[in-house]
Amino acid sequence: MSLAEPSAAPSAGSAGRSRPRSLPRLGHARGIANAALGIAALMALWWLGGWGIAHDPDLSAFADFAPAPTLTSLVQMVESGDAARMAGPSLQRVGLGLLFATLVGVPVGIVIGRMPRVHEICNVPFQFLRMISPLSWMPIAVMAFATWNGAIVFLIAMAAVWPILFSTAGGVRRIDPAWLKVARNLGARPVAMLLTVILPAVAVDILQGIRLALGVAWVVLVPAEYLGVTSGLGYAINDARDTLDYARLGATVVIIGVIGFGLDAAVGQLVKKFNWVRSSAH
Amino acid sequence: MTAPLTFRGSAAASAPHLAQGSPAARPAPVGAHVAIKGLSHSYRRHDGKVLDGIDLEIRAGEIVALLGRSGCGKSTLLHMLSGLSHPSAGEVVINGKTVREPSPRWVMMFQAPSLFPWMTVAQNAALGLRFTRRTKEIATRIPEILDLVDLGAFADRNAQDLSGGQQQRVALARSLAPRPELLLLDEPFSALDAFTRRNLQKDVRDIARDLGLTLILVTHDVAEAVRMSDRVIVLEANPGRVSCDTPITLDEAERDGGSDAFQGEHARLMKLYARAADDAPRS
Ligand SMILES: Nc1ncnc2c1ncn2[C@@H]1O[C@H](COP(=O)(O)OP(=O)(O)O)[C@@H](O)[C@H]1O
Ligand SMILES: [Mg+2]
């Protein structure tokens, strides 16, 4: 089986970039087919669950969780702009939390990665702090911050800082010492070393850390928004439960999932873009 | 994959690309004068002295090979020369000034090219100019230097797309771009195939001679020392000392390896090398 198209063949020798095109194209179609299969399976399970709930006399009050009412409500929420109004504040909180986590996590990670001594000192306390559920900081956050909004951003930052910090430190530790020697040899001062060697070398690790952090932050967001605030996706869930609007509740869950998926995919694209490692498979 | 690796076998065709740009167009090239004075070194985690009382003087523009078996302290000596590390005793004096830190005026080239994989060939070559804030020179200097190492056509390629020999050429361009006075080579060709190695050996010698650079080459390969240098310093090990210091008097045509003169020099150096290796007390 020939994967290379005739037109791509002549340039394959000289231009390395045009060569791998034909392979992923085939993989792409299969990937889309499999993804569709997965979504269909999820929908089938959902539908089955909804059917079960509707036919159980104890649970039939929740029948609106089924796909049809939920999706109807979802379309309404998107069209009316409710969906955007709910998601806006949530995205802002997650964005700010991630920003603070990055501003702390990247420099601290670089210091830990460069200095084995600091790593040894910080390792146990950091691993300990990392294992504390971010939500358990809630009472402290509420006391420390004047607004609920500030408290939520703090909780998200607390959750997000660890993956970024550890990923950055790991990347810095894996930097080829020869690169640093070459740079020093060519007259690099510490600032140039940081900007020209260390940061580009670990850009992928930082982004991968941010990607993990985003996942954690998005999960922490909803329970954090159950408290205090009157905006955001977490609040919307609570609100729908209180008003017994289960179709809306289901639709909000779908929105949370879709946005989370989209954000992860976007950062995934960034990781790809900044990844300088050539996979030999291509 | 096929790189325009031009083979310059005959002496008549000796590096035509080097002729372009008359010598007058360049700032007068002056190689550095190097004096190594009573240099000794021991490592904290290594018993005994690695280097013991090295005294050497290397004239401006001289091409010198430091020849010795593995572990005799050649890399250690080169690191002291480059300012990347400091000797336990003694000093290195370049053009009358004691070396205290690395500088693009005395640049070291290592066995591995260690190019930055997130950069293009041109960006890699420009690192020395960037680090020393001579960014204005990049636009003219980098194309010129890439042409010099036969990589003009590869300027915008990612460094990882190049073959091993081409990558080492980029490393050479990167070292030469800031116009060093002294080039220090630490077995820079040992990871390359024989054909690529021959080409680079010749090109590096030609370039150094053309620019008037002082070149100090570390090697454990006798043929490489004979082919490339005007003078060979044989080191003995444990502790590292100068065993002998001898000129190589071959003209350019004889350096290709086939000539009787080359074979004679090779045999002579081989004896000196073996003697230095045998004399050294075993550790
Ligand atoms: N950082 C170091 N710490 C301890 N010992 C070292 C270090 N670097 C080199 N050595 C030792 O010093 C000796 C000389 O090493 P080196 O200069 O690399 O020799 P060469 O380049 O001639 O092979 C070797 O015995 C080596 O084990
Ligand atoms: Mg060595």
Side-chain angles (χ1 to χ4, degrees):
Chain A
M1 176 175 71
S2 161
L3 294 171
E5 296 152 273
S7 63
S11 62
S14 57
R17 279 191 188 85
S18 69
R19 185 158 33 94
R21 279 278 154 72
S22 50
L23 235 178
R25 192 175 296 160
L26 188 97
H28 213 193
R30 206 176 70 184
I32 288 173
N34 284 341
L37 196 70
I39 292 168
L42 187 64
M43 292 298 288
L45 272 177
W46 184 9
W47 180 84
L48 219 73
W51 187 85
I53 287 171
H55 287 76
D56 184 328
D58 291 341
L59 296 174
S60 56
F62 303 108
D64 277 355
F65 272 128
T70 296
L71 293 178
T72 314
S73 180
L74 179 67
V75 170
Q76 270 172 10
M77 283 163 73
V78 171
E79 280 176 350
S80 68
D82 273 1
R85 258 191 300 282
M86 287 173 186
S90 291
L91 284 170
Q92 205 180 353
R93 286 171 192 137
V94 166
L96 272 176
L98 277 179
L99 179 71
F100 289 127
T102 307
L103 289 179
V104 174
V106 170
V108 176
I110 288 175
V111 169
I112 286 179
R114 291 286 289 146
M115 301 176 181
R117 190 76 177 276
V118 180
H119 173 65
E120 283 160 21
I121 292 170
C122 294
N123 197 32
V124 173
F126 281 6
Q127 297 290 354
F128 169 79
L129 289 173
R130 182 173 77 115
M131 295 313 288
I132 300 172
S133 163
L135 290 171
S136 50
W137 297 105
M138 187 52 121
I140 297 169
V142 169
M143 278 192 291
F145 288 86
T147 63
W148 284 99
N149 216 23
I152 291 171
V153 170
F154 170 79
L155 291 186
I156 290 168
M158 279 305 284
V161 74
W162 305 113
I164 297 175
L165 192 156
F166 288 118
S167 182
T168 304
V172 170
R173 265 198 303 276
R174 283 190 304 274
I175 290 180
D176 185 347
W179 290 344
L180 302 174
K181 196 154 90 171
V182 161
R184 219 151 66 77
N185 185 29
L186 290 168
R189 304 264 157 213
V191 174
M193 190 75 96
L194 179 71
L195 297 179
T196 318
V197 189
I198 294 174
L199 278 178
V202 300
V204 178
D205 301 280
I206 293 174
L207 284 169
Q208 272 162 352
I210 290 178
R211 193 176 183 181
L212 287 175
L214 180 72
V216 181
W218 196 243
V219 167
V220 167
L221 170 83
V222 172
E225 281 180 341
Y226 283 173
L227 296 160
V229 290
T230 53
S231 63
L233 293 162
Y235 167 76
I237 291 217
N238 244 1
D239 190 46
R241 188 199 61 193
D242 292 346
T243 55
L244 309 180
D245 189 346
Y246 294 118
R248 197 175 168 85
L249 204 163
T252 310
V253 169
V254 171
I255 292 172
I256 290 170
V258 167
I259 295 178
F261 180 85
L263 289 175
D264 182 70
V267 182
Q269 285 301 312
L270 276 182
V271 169
K272 241 188 213 163
K273 186 166 172 270
F274 280 88
N275 197 355
W276 41 261
V277 178
R278 288 288 157 85
S279 64
S280 48
H282 277 210
Chain B
M1 274 317 291
T2 49
L5 237 175
T6 46
F7 182 66
R8 297 182 209 90
S10 76
S14 167
H17 60 294
L18 298 178
Q20 51 181 260
S22 66
R26 273 191 293 273
V30 184
H33 173 275
V34 181
I36 302 168
K37 297 181 179 170
L39 191 140
S40 297
H41 192 71
S42 24
Y43 286 108
R44 231 174 293 143
R45 277 160 296 160
H46 187 268
D47 292 336
K49 285 182 176 176
V50 172
L51 297 171
D52 184 22
I54 308 265
D55 278 293
L56 282 172
E57 186 167 354
I58 293 160
R59 288 188 306 276
E62 209 170 13
I63 299 179
V64 178
L66 296 172
L67 180 66
R69 67 158 207 235
S70 228
C72 72
K74 304 183 296 291
S75 296
T76 304
L77 180 55
L78 221 53
H79 274 77
M80 311 283 154
L81 285 164
S82 73
L84 282 168
S85 28
H86 301 281
S88 317
E91 59 177 354
V92 174
V93 179
I94 297 181
N95 285 343
K97 282 170 91 176
T98 304
V99 171
R100 297 190 199 284
E101 56 178 2
S103 154
R105 287 169 57 202
W106 40 85
V107 181
M108 182 134 152
M109 238 183 103
F110 307 94
Q111 183 176 332
S114 298
L115 304 178
F116 294 167
W118 55 89
M119 289 185 175
T120 64
V121 166
Q123 288 169 331
N124 268 289
L127 279 171
L129 293 175
R130 228 169 108 181
F131 288 147
T132 47
R133 302 206 186 79
R134 287 153 65 185
T135 40
K136 271 189 223 123
E137 293 172 51
I138 289 176
T140 53
R141 179 66 176 156
I142 295 309
E144 177 186 306
I145 206 75
L146 287 179
D147 279 344
L148 185 68
V149 298
D150 273 342
L151 287 175
F154 292 79
D156 296 324
R157 295 281 286 273
N158 182 284
Q160 294 174 94
D161 292 342
L162 274 59
S163 70
Q166 289 171 328
Q167 291 197 12
Q168 201 54 291
R169 280 175 189 273
V170 180
L172 178 64
R174 180 179 67 190
S175 305
L176 292 174
R179 301 180 200 275
E181 300 154 31
L182 169 64
L183 193 57
L184 305 160
L185 306 182
D186 193 356
E187 308 191 18
F189 314 126
S190 50
L192 304 174
D193 65 89
F195 177 78
T196 311
R197 180 163 60 228
R198 287 278 195 104
N199 277 329
L200 265 165
Q201 285 168 342
K202 176 162 173 44
D203 283 1
V204 168
R205 178 176 166 84
D206 288 344
I207 288 169
R209 273 162 56 89
D210 191 58
L211 300 177
L213 286 178
T214 307
L215 195 150
I216 302 176
L217 161 84
V218 152
T219 183
H220 58 243
D221 176 356
V222 175
E224 180 165 276
V226 175
R227 195 171 290 127
M228 286 188 71
S229 62
D230 301 327
R231 173 181 167 198
V232 177
I233 292 157
V234 184
L235 296 176
E236 59 186 43
N238 293 324
R241 286 193 185 121
V242 174
S243 167
C244 74
D245 186 342
T246 178
I248 300 286
T249 51
L250 295 172
D251 58 40
E252 297 309 301
E254 289 168 335
R255 288 178 184 269
D256 272 336
S259 68
D260 288 346
F262 181 91
Q263 295 303 336
E265 284 294 74
H266 188 275
R268 183 172 70 87
L269 256 297
M270 205 69 198
K271 276 202 200 94
L272 294 172
Y273 178 58
R275 203 184 67 195
D278 282 347
D279 279 357
R282 301 284 168 196
S283 51

